[in-house]
Amino acid sequence: MSINIALAGNPNSGKTTVFNEITGSKQHVGNWPGVTVDKKEGTYKKDRDVKVLDLPGTYSLSPYSAEEIIARDFIVNEKPDVVINIVDGTSIERNLYLTLQIIETQIPLVIAINMMDEVEAKGDTIDFNKLSEILGVLVVPIVARKAKGLNHLMEAAIETARNKKKPNNVQVFDKNIDSALLKVEQLLEDKSPDERRWKAIKLIEGDEVITNGLSDDTIKQVNIIVKEAEKEADGDTEAKIADLRYKYISKILKGIVKKSEKGHVSNKSDKLDKILTNRFLALPIFAMIMYLLFAATFSENFLLIKGLPSPGIWLAGLVEEGWGALTGGIESILSNAGASDWILSLVIDGVMEGIGAVAGFLPLVLVLFLLLSFLEDSGYMARVAFVMDRLFRHLGLSGKSFIPLLMGFGCSVPALMASRTLESDKDRKITMMITPFMSCGAKLPIYAMFAATLFAGSNKTIIVFSIYMLGLVIAIISALLLNKFAFKGETSNFIMELPQYRIPTGKSILIHGWDKVKGFAIKAGTIIFVSTVLIWLLSNFNFTGMVDMEDSFLASIGNAIKFIFAPLGFADWRASVGVVTGWIAKENIVATFGQLFGGIGDEATIEAISSGAQALPEIRDVFTQVSAYSYMAFNLLCMPCFAAVGAMKREMVSWKWTLKAISFQMVVAYIVALIINTLGNLIF
Amino acid sequence: MTLEDLKPGQEGTVISVGEKGPARRRIMDMGVTPGATIKVIKVAPLGDPIEVNIRGYELSLRKEEAKQIQVQ
């Protein structure tokens, strides 16, 4: 007989560690339908008939966040055979608040009290038997990080599931609320008394989600009952119920938790926090950690040592080299076998280039996410939000938006994926829409080419720097506008736990990093691969067969659409083609210009132009200083490369939103370039 | 007096928590309910938000939200 287990618990309660330990490598990460919340499923490593599902971490089962709605809908509608509630023993009072709400559903339940090592280190004791007796559920002490107590926990869970043992109907509420509950229950038509009871509690709490499906008449009567109860309680029932739950917890814990007589001793975590969020040290330390995060992923001179690649760049180099060797091998095999030009080009420039485009990002994603999960699991990520909140609040964003935006200067792909750490859907979407405005490393060669050719002299640096600043300013303006118009009314709050600092386990960091790499390769990979091959096709063919880029479909498209760019100052088919090839990778614009303007095919020359060491004088036929600046701004702001679009699609989990984001970026790019060109021509 | 008026190191007892709505529900879900002892630990380096200790753990909230919490 198969058994379905759901893990529920507060964020930071060690739920994911428990999940990783009991499923081992047998797990699958997906998405809950329609939302950006991970859905983790797996099987118990010691019994494949036992399925385990990791519910999103929540503090409550209220109807206000996607996570809470998912967790409660799953418990109430899918009815797992047993719920394992992971409780952080070091803040048991707050953790039991969720427990009480799970008990209200009367689903078979087992409680795992985690972090018992820390509880013991403090000198506190918890009477598990007494807690078990009062709540009518098995209670198992565990230390998830050390995999202690997990066998017991699973035995208890399987036993509870087999016996279908329900928790006690604990007396949480007072007379007033109880009588209101009874009255509401009588109005409901659900067959099971447990369901009627649960629904009644939610209705009295003023839960609007639960009223779906009730007749207007019932809702009216419920409202009358609630009004009466509120008169009696001298306050609203939602607050009253939350209050009664906490009162009940305080009452039962008196006989269960014995605090150490030493009182509150400040532990290592408290001491660490005194330094990390100290008034004066917090910002310098924060800046240093952020620098390390960025440098370890993207820097070519890591720790300011010239020529020392960061782990991210080093790995990316290895992948690139390996891929180059493989491509070269395939190329020589194919030409030896006498393959025709177009097959050779399809395989080398289309397929291999397409897969290579995906593979090239994997090391960056891996390194960044190993580091991010270290920050997340250690508890520092919550402090990032704490330290940066004030700065970002005015943009309507979370302090955690800082990380994706900073990473955006390296590469939009891992940066967009880093937006996953933001809790609010609104913050996440806005952050993703503006992250590509941070000028990434691949856009620098475009600026270098124009600077060397059209802005020679001392103002070169100023021109490039001003483009970076332009991206930043446009990002800020965009965030303000999106908040005001596209997401109006969605307020975010900042009521957040600052968890204890803990040393993360290597296992959970590795699992998280691997999940991200796999997710990107599969979900974003397809989009990147298909679009790269498509652009290859367009730039190498016309109706007669394989041709040079000058005669390709893409050139015709460039000619057809160049009029759109006339108001921006670059109505030239080659400039239009550059925009399109830039979507494969922004630095491609240089190679495209080299070929189309100068007939340059060799890589060394292209590289010299990319680094600004050599000019490409032929572009002066088309570009003035003003229109070059307009072109740089347009390519900075318009749709990012396909890899970034793939990452965006993966994180937004919605084509609709991805298209909205792209459209937004295109419109912003057009308007900004238009303003630059118009004003520029007036002034210069 | 509201929670915003407390200085780091000072503690008080929660009397009531603001207006009905998602923010209040969240605050109460996190354990800030009438009768609970709440202690201000520190203020963020940029002056806002603040960190408090409630029911044995650390919670951060903005001054704007702290203003909604009556304490004594």
Side-chain angles (χ1 to χ4, degrees), chain A residues 585-603:
Chain A
K586 293 279 171 171
E587 73 268 26
N588 278 1
I589 292 178
V590 176
T592 302
F593 275 27
Q595 188 180 340
L596 297 182
F597 283 93
I600 299 162
D602 74 299
E603 268 179 45

Side-chain angles (χ1 to χ4, degrees), chain A residues 59-60 62 64 93-94 97 205 236 238 246 273 277 282 386 389-390 393 493-496 498, chain B residues 20 24-31 42 44-46 48-49 51 55 57-62 65:
Chain A
Y59 295 103
S60 170
S62 77
Y64 295 119
E93 218 176 327
R94 191 201 65 225
Y97 182 77
E205 274 186 299
D236 64 284
E238 188 184 22
Y246 268 111
D273 198 54
T277 57
F386 182 69
D389 176 66
R390 179 133 207 204
R393 180 191 318 172
N493 54 46
F494 189 77
I495 302 151
M496 191 184 67
L498 294 172
Chain B
K20 198 170 173 163
R24 187 195 65 179
R25 174 65 188 268
R26 172 93 171 159
I27 291 173
M28 296 194 79
D29 280 348
M30 297 305 280
K42 66 163 102 60
L46 298 175
D48 198 9
E51 176 180 342
R55 298 183 190 273
Y57 80 98
E58 270 75 43
L59 179 72
S60 81
L61 32 87
R62 290 179 183 157
E65 287 140 6

Side-chain angles (χ1 to χ4, degrees), chain A residues 321-337 344 347-348 352:
Chain A
E321 244 170 62
W323 200 255
L326 186 65
T327 308
I330 293 176
E331 192 170 4
S332 63
I333 294 171
L334 282 178
S335 30
N336 288 340
L344 201 64
V347 175
I348 303 302
M352 293 302 280

Side-chain angles (χ1 to χ4, degrees), chain A residues 546-669:
Chain A
M546 203 167 174
V547 291
D548 285 340
M549 203 195 261
E550 287 82 344
D551 304 313
S552 68
F553 286 127
L554 197 57
S556 318
I557 294 172
N559 259 311
I561 63 167
K562 68 179 184 198
F563 75 94
I564 300 173
F565 298 115
L568 312 187
F570 44 89
D572 180 83
W573 68 273
R574 291 163 293 189
S576 314
V577 169
V579 171
V580 177
T581 56
W583 288 331
I584 295 181
K586 293 279 171 171
E587 73 268 26
N588 278 1
I589 292 178
V590 176
T592 302
F593 275 27
Q595 188 180 340
L596 297 182
F597 283 93
I600 299 162
D602 74 299
E603 268 179 45
T605 317
I606 294 297
E607 220 148 88
I609 298 171
S610 296
S611 65
Q614 192 176 329
L616 184 62
E618 290 85 353
I619 58 174
R620 290 197 199 119
D621 297 345
V622 172
F623 290 99
T624 62
Q625 288 193 338
V626 171
S627 65
Y629 201 86
S630 156
Y631 192 74
M632 288 190 276
F634 185 82
N635 281 294
L636 160 67
L637 302 170
C638 79
M639 181 174 97
C641 66
F642 292 124
V645 172
M648 197 150 52
K649 161 69 179 50
R650 164 158 167 74
E651 292 306 319
M652 287 191 162
V653 210
S654 146
W655 268 118
K656 199 180 102 194
W657 269 103
T658 312
L659 292 176
K660 270 192 196 176
I662 294 171
S663 316
F664 172 76
Q665 288 152 355
M666 294 305 276
V667 170
V668 168

Side-chain angles (χ1 to χ4, degrees), chain A residues 187 214-222:
Chain A
L187 297 174
L214 293 181
S215 72
D216 290 348
D217 190 46
T218 315
I219 295 175
K220 218 187 262 166
Q221 295 192 48
V222 168

